[in-house]
Amino acid sequence: MTSRPDTAGEPGDGVLPSDTAATDDPVVAALRQALPDRVVTDPEVLAACTADRSGHRAEAPPLAVVEAREVADVQQTCRIASAHGTPIVTRAAGTGLAGGAIAGGGEIVLSTRAMDRIQEISPADRLAVVEPGILNGDLNRALAAHDLWWAPDPASRDISTVGGNIAMNAGGLLCAKYGVTREAVLALTVVLADGRVIETGHRTVKGVSGYDLCALLIGSEGTLGVIVEATLRLEPLPEGPPTTIGAFFDSVDAAARAAAAITAGGHRIALMELMDEPTLAAVAAQADQDLLSRGRAHLLVQCDGPGAATLAESVVAVLTEHGGDVETASDEQRAAELLALRRAALPALEAQGTLLVEDIAVPRSRLAETFAAIRELEAAHGVTIPTTCHAGDGNLHPTFVVDGEEVPAEVWAAAEALFAHALAVGGTLTGEHGIGLLKRAWLPDELGAEQLQLQRGIKAVFDPQGLLNPGKVFAREEA
Amino acid sequence: MTSRPDTAGEPGDGVLPSDTAATDDPVVAALRQALPDRVVTDPEVLAACTADRSGHRAEAPPLAVVEAREVADVQQTCRIASAHGTPIVTRAAGTGLAGGAIAGGGEIVLSTRAMDRIQEISPADRLAVVEPGILNGDLNRALAAHDLWWAPDPASRDISTVGGNIAMNAGGLLCAKYGVTREAVLALTVVLADGRVIETGHRTVKGVSGYDLCALLIGSEGTLGVIVEATLRLEPLPEGPPTTIGAFFDSVDAAARAAAAITAGGHRIALMELMDEPTLAAVAAQADQDLLSRGRAHLLVQCDGPGAATLAESVVAVLTEHGGDVETASDEQRAAELLALRRAALPALEAQGTLLVEDIAVPRSRLAETFAAIRELEAAHGVTIPTTCHAGDGNLHPTFVVDGEEVPAEVWAAAEALFAHALAVGGTLTGEHGIGLLKRAWLPDELGAEQLQLQRGIKAVFDPQGLLNPGKVFAREEA
């Protein structure tokens, strides 16, 4: 998939001339000398770093990958890169959806994927201390032995890392009840661009000493520092299995109104996922099931913790009142089948072509009109936009299915109109995927000139040479 | 109460020469011209602004108070102050405990107390939009009509403002379950030092577009901008009354171990408050009740929401196992009496003298050893340190009772040793009161030189002239 014209021509886009003899590059030579067994220049490894799961790809490969195993490796890499003025792209699993960890010509990839140790699990303080490269799923499997879990739960949990979550302030399915990643991180150890180390945040629940740099670093997409250790706030595992409810509706409008009514009613559901008709059609085609005769939209709700059964009864009443054909799972097997329906959405769409997954969020009262706007955009631009939605928190993933590598102009036009809609109803360009390369052109529309200037000022305080993930989040400033 | 020698001699300490003919001051004249009915120079009003509830007082009064009623008033004040290079101290109710809103000679007080409107309550989006001057208690009374509440619940809720909470990232009694203020604020509108306005954060649950300046501004103690509007994340009111449990223990060590066991056991209590023996003695003396024959420490626990009764049974079992003499309130009247015991602590101590209320927080597994350290400090320095503790989140308020206005040297020495203990066990100088004037001398010990430099850099990005609350949080840099 090619970049939009206005995002090309910068490091990270990979259109800078690449060093074809990377091992001769003085920065690579210096890295090899300092970290002999950590530097990789295998062309296949370098090529893999030019892409993530956004569909975007840099045109030229990076100079080298440093596979850090210790904090000292990260510091050394940053010192050498600073001395040479070479950009650093921090990367772990490469599962990002906005191009935030894509590396191109002239850049060094600093991989923290191999830093995947759990340093401490403390049930007494309800926290864990981990390295950034651990997979979310692996962490939660280790925590389950202590009846604990880390609540951030992106759909990618089995392939994405904790460090990536934090760099992105990832969301997921459970945010309405359990919050986003920012709420689940107590402290961070971070290597600055020049190799110095800072410790931000607290091991305590409360702490108000100075500015909250921990919160600032969460979601900074690798542009302010390299996260090398995280202290995570844990939750006790909810007792017993959750209650799972599925409901088909005649229209996405009815499903969206039902979802909004659950929020407005103050029901503290754990998860609420909406699929529209084009998504259901894709799932039906893939599974060879006749879903559309049951309804044109589907809502999946889970209630957990104390009082889950009582809460579920209230939820069923609201869904029924809004015309839902409602089923409460009778056992864990049936609950798993209902969840599987939702999990089938992305694979079913991927079977149809290359995906451009958008990520707007809107106030929860505006869900129904946002689905109406998506249907209007489909008609106006001659495209189909299957949309899944974390309806509990108002985060939608309108998805464009593209043939081949080129994104047609009408898709960009529809995406741009979608962003404008989100901002117009008090929403945001990105609920959980981040800005990365893909959305930086629209960031000024959301932030405004004054705030953008402050954000660039903060970037300059942390990274005066502009070496950390340049061109991500912010477009390069005009000379 | 006088300042420590190393914190004196700066604006905000009030030892700069004051302008005795304030109305002749050009900045006051300019303010009067621009905002004729907003500028107050009544000596009593000015004198009130030289103090808060920290016991600290500036020696000279500020130049004037601007009583803002609209965002435009705040902008105008900032523009005029910037043009004259005059410092601005933002202030609302003046209930701070760290000297953060104290104003001295040569400074303008920008009061947002009269900006107290509720702009919007949206049950559909579970949010409210408010001006900063509204009292916490007034807001929650208005929200209760919608079965909603704003969770930050400082003990001062009936006298402190939402804007002050946010400027401080205030905590309170319910943080272990409901989080601190940062988690309960979605968006802020902020006037910058030069009068420009920015809107940070989102009206949505999720949003990751650019750096999280909203989180950065929360807890920045008036040094980065002036909060003029806040969008607050609301919670549904828990159904039914909470279950309230009181327990006396033979020693504070036993009470602290019981509290730690409740945390370690994963019990999601709403509130857990500990009082030690000197505090109980003060309450007993004030109320003429024989409390000490019942025990030497007291723990108060509340469980709320679904499953509260079941949870309370588990809590009672843990408390009993740790030697507690446990009572579960049989009705709301008795629950109120148990709560009243805890609420009596501060007034009972205030009856004994001037208070210096400290505010350390420690990891919850370190509670018992922190109480032991406090007893050792009492012996070493010949002082008594009655201590209350938000045991659910590890936040202690060791309190020094002083005769008269002067803080004796042994009190400062004990306080300094207390801070050192907190940092040594992985804690913080301040869990919820902030740095203000009182703790800035110790902030470098907690943050380290590198992080302090970044924080000062951020301050300079927002406020290049250094006009917003100078001398608060950070000591003035050496020339």
Side-chain angles (χ1 to χ4, degrees):
Chain A
M1 194 175 296
T2 56
S3 56
R4 297 194 73 209
D6 65 345
T7 62
E10 299 177 7
D13 301 333
V15 297
L16 288 188
S18 84
D19 192 315
T20 49
T23 47
D24 292 331
D25 189 287
V27 73
V28 177
L31 288 168
R32 274 196 198 287
Q33 186 171 18
L35 302 161
D37 56 347
R38 305 282 196 264
V39 181
V40 178
T41 51
D42 175 338
E44 277 187 38
V45 173
L46 299 185
C49 293
T50 62
D52 59 5
R53 292 170 74 94
S54 66
H56 201 85
R57 181 177 287 281
E59 290 180 14
L63 294 171
V65 176
V66 179
E67 294 182 342
R69 297 193 171 267
E70 309 286 344
V71 174
D73 298 345
V74 174
Q75 291 184 270
Q76 191 73 279
T77 304
C78 288
R79 281 192 210 108
I80 291 170
S82 283
H84 288 80
T86 305
I88 297 169
V89 177
T90 306
R91 185 178 169 103
T95 58
L97 289 158
I102 285 179
E107 298 182 327
I108 295 166
V109 174
L110 176 48
S111 172
T112 56
R113 179 65 184 89
M115 295 177 70
D116 63 356
R117 284 164 288 204
I118 297 176
Q119 312 277 24
E120 179 187 356
I121 296 174
S122 169
D125 289 322
R126 281 199 210 159
L127 60 79
V129 181
V130 303
E131 290 186 333
I134 188 169
L135 297 180
N136 288 290
D138 289 345
L139 172 63
N140 270 325
R141 278 183 283 275
L143 293 174
H146 303 270
D147 288 326
L148 292 167
W149 66 305
W150 192 50
D153 184 56
S156 60
R157 60 190 169 194
D158 284 323
I159 54 169
S160 64
T161 65
V162 169
N165 267 22
I166 296 172
M168 203 71 274
N169 192 15
L173 309 186
L174 303 169
C175 299
K177 181 166 179 182
Y178 290 102
V180 294
T181 297
R182 192 194 66 184
E183 274 94 77
V185 177
L186 293 169
L188 292 175
T189 304
V190 172
V191 175
L192 301 176
D194 61 9
R196 290 179 300 163
V197 178
I198 60 168
E199 294 185 8
T200 69
H202 302 92
R203 226 182 125 89
T204 51
V205 177
K206 293 169 170 173
V208 291
S209 45
Y211 302 146
D212 192 344
L213 297 197
C214 185
L216 180 68
L217 283 155
I218 295 167
S220 64
E221 304 196 28
T223 64
L224 298 181
V226 182
I227 297 162
V228 291
E229 189 176 275
T231 303
L232 308 176
R233 179 183 176 145
L234 307 179
E235 298 275 344
L237 271 179
E239 278 175 41
T243 305
T244 304
I245 302 161
F248 282 93
F249 290 84
D250 283 346
S251 67
V252 74
D253 185 71
R257 287 181 195 283
I262 286 172
T263 298
H267 306 293
R268 299 196 81 228
I269 48 94
L271 170 157
M272 182 157 61
E273 294 292 310
L274 197 159
M275 288 192 286
D276 69 353
E277 182 172 347
T279 309
L280 273 183
V283 172
Q286 175 85 345
D288 200 16
Q289 270 191 295
D290 178 21
L291 297 172
L292 294 178
S293 70
R294 299 197 56 194
R296 302 288 162 164
H298 186 264
L299 205 55
L300 176 79
V301 181
Q302 279 196 327
C303 308
D304 68 2
T310 312
L311 175 57
E313 285 170 24
S314 309
V315 168
V316 167
V318 175
L319 298 180
T320 306
E321 200 180 296
H322 283 78
D325 173 10
V326 185
E327 172 188 2
T328 302
S330 50
D331 55 29
E332 289 188 45
Q333 165 68 23
R334 185 59 193 147
E337 287 166 14
L338 290 175
L339 274 172
L341 196 65
R342 167 65 182 84
R343 292 227 172 96
L346 196 62
L349 293 171
E350 279 174 338
Q352 299 187 346
T354 305
L355 303 186
L356 186 68
V357 182
E358 287 308 337
D359 177 44
I360 59 170
V362 299
R364 289 169 288 183
S365 60
R366 317 298 287 263
L367 272 182
E369 71 187 276
T370 298
F371 275 103
I374 290 169
R375 297 292 91 94
E376 283 167 24
L377 290 176
E378 287 180 326
H381 297 277
V383 292
T384 305
I385 314 177
T387 299
T388 57
C389 171
H390 308 309
D393 52 48
N395 183 197
L396 298 96
H397 295 308
T399 301
F400 298 93
V401 185
V402 179
D403 275 339
E405 293 280 307
E406 284 293 325
V407 178
E410 62 268 24
V411 166
W412 285 123
E416 189 143 359
L418 187 69
F419 300 154
H421 167 83
L423 296 181
V425 299
T428 174
L429 290 173
T430 174
E432 58 186 13
H433 294 172
I435 297 293
L437 284 173
L438 264 66
K439 287 184 190 149
R440 65 186 184 192
W442 293 278
L443 187 63
D445 297 345
E446 180 162 344
L447 297 185
E450 285 79 11
Q451 194 181 166
L452 197 64
Q453 185 192 350
L454 291 173
Q455 299 217 351
R456 285 184 183 278
I458 290 170
K459 164 73 175 170
V461 167
F462 278 79
D463 179 20
Q465 288 191 83
L467 298 182
L468 295 176
N469 223 4
K472 311 296 166 53
V473 184
F474 310 114
R476 285 258 165 154
E477 287 191 273
E478 310 287 316
Chain B
M1 194 175 294
T2 56
S3 57
R4 300 192 72 209
D6 65 346
T7 63
E10 301 177 3
D13 301 331
V15 296
L16 289 188
S18 85
D19 191 317
T20 49
T23 48
D24 294 330
D25 189 287
V27 72
V28 177
L31 287 168
R32 276 196 197 288
Q33 187 171 18
L35 302 160
D37 55 347
R38 305 283 196 263
V39 180
V40 179
T41 50
D42 175 339
E44 278 187 37
V45 173
L46 299 185
C49 293
T50 62
D52 59 5
R53 293 170 74 95
S54 67
H56 200 84
R57 181 177 288 281
E59 290 180 16
L63 294 170
V65 176
V66 179
E67 294 183 342
R69 295 190 173 270
E70 308 286 344
V71 174
D73 298 346
V74 175
Q75 292 183 269
Q76 191 72 282
T77 304
C78 289
R79 281 190 210 107
I80 291 169
S82 283
H84 287 80
T86 306
I88 298 169
V89 178
T90 306
R91 184 177 169 103
T95 58
L97 290 158
I102 285 179
E107 299 182 326
I108 296 167
V109 175
L110 175 48
S111 172
T112 56
R113 178 67 184 89
M115 295 177 69
D116 63 355
R117 284 164 289 204
I118 298 176
Q119 312 278 25
E120 179 188 356
I121 296 175
S122 168
D125 289 323
R126 281 199 209 160
L127 60 81
V129 181
V130 304
E131 290 185 335
I134 187 169
L135 297 180
N136 289 291
D138 289 347
L139 172 63
N140 270 324
R141 278 182 284 276
L143 293 175
H146 302 271
D147 288 327
L148 293 168
W149 67 307
W150 191 49
D153 183 56
S156 60
R157 59 189 171 195
D158 284 323
I159 54 169
S160 64
T161 64
V162 169
N165 266 23
I166 296 172
M168 202 73 273
N169 192 15
L173 310 186
L174 303 170
C175 299
K177 181 166 179 181
Y178 291 102
V180 294
T181 297
R182 191 194 67 183
E183 274 94 76
V185 177
L186 292 169
L188 292 174
T189 304
V190 171
V191 175
L192 302 177
D194 61 8
R196 290 180 300 164
V197 178
I198 60 167
E199 295 185 9
T200 68
H202 303 92
R203 228 182 123 87
T204 51
V205 177
K206 293 170 170 173
V208 291
S209 45
Y211 301 146
D212 192 344
L213 297 196
C214 185
L216 180 69
L217 283 154
I218 296 168
S220 64
E221 303 196 29
T223 64
L224 297 180
V226 183
I227 297 163
V228 291
E229 189 177 275
T231 303
L232 308 177
R233 178 183 177 145
L234 307 178
E235 298 275 343
L237 271 178
E239 277 174 43
T243 304
T244 304
I245 301 160
F248 282 94
F249 290 84
D250 283 346
S251 67
V252 74
D253 184 71
R257 288 181 194 284
I262 286 172
T263 298
H267 306 293
R268 299 195 81 229
I269 49 93
L271 171 157
M272 181 157 61
E273 293 293 310
L274 196 159
M275 288 192 286
D276 69 353
E277 183 172 349
T279 309
L280 273 183
V283 173
Q286 175 86 340
D288 200 18
Q289 270 191 294
D290 177 22
L291 296 172
L292 294 179
S293 69
R294 299 198 54 195
R296 303 286 161 167
H298 186 263
L299 204 56
L300 176 79
V301 181
Q302 279 196 326
C303 308
D304 69 1
T310 311
L311 175 57
E313 286 171 24
S314 309
V315 168
V316 168
V318 175
L319 298 180
T320 305
E321 199 179 300
H322 284 77
D325 173 10
V326 185
E327 173 189 2
T328 302
S330 50
D331 54 29
E332 289 188 43
Q333 166 68 24
R334 186 58 194 147
E337 287 167 14
L338 290 175
L339 273 172
L341 196 65
R342 168 64 181 86
R343 292 228 171 95
L346 195 63
L349 294 171
E350 279 173 339
Q352 300 186 345
T354 305
L355 303 186
L356 186 69
V357 183
E358 287 308 337
D359 177 42
I360 59 169
V362 299
R364 289 170 286 184
S365 61
R366 317 299 287 261
L367 272 181
E369 72 187 275
T370 298
F371 275 102
I374 291 169
R375 297 292 89 96
E376 283 166 25
L377 290 177
E378 287 180 325
H381 297 277
V383 293
T384 305
I385 313 176
T387 299
T388 58
C389 171
H390 307 309
D393 53 48
N395 183 198
L396 298 95
H397 295 309
T399 302
F400 298 93
V401 185
V402 178
D403 275 339
E405 294 279 306
E406 285 291 325
V407 178
E410 61 269 25
V411 167
W412 286 124
E416 189 143 359
L418 188 67
F419 300 155
H421 167 83
L423 297 182
V425 300
T428 174
L429 289 172
T430 175
E432 58 187 13
H433 294 172
I435 297 293
L437 284 173
L438 264 68
K439 287 184 190 149
R440 66 186 183 191
W442 294 279
L443 187 63
D445 297 343
E446 180 163 343
L447 298 185
E450 284 80 10
Q451 194 180 167
L452 198 64
Q453 185 192 350
L454 292 172
Q455 299 216 352
R456 286 186 183 278
I458 290 170
K459 164 74 174 169
V461 167
F462 277 78
D463 178 21
Q465 287 192 84
L467 297 181
L468 295 177
N469 223 4
K472 312 294 167 52
V473 184
F474 310 113
R476 286 258 166 156
E477 286 192 274
E478 309 287 318

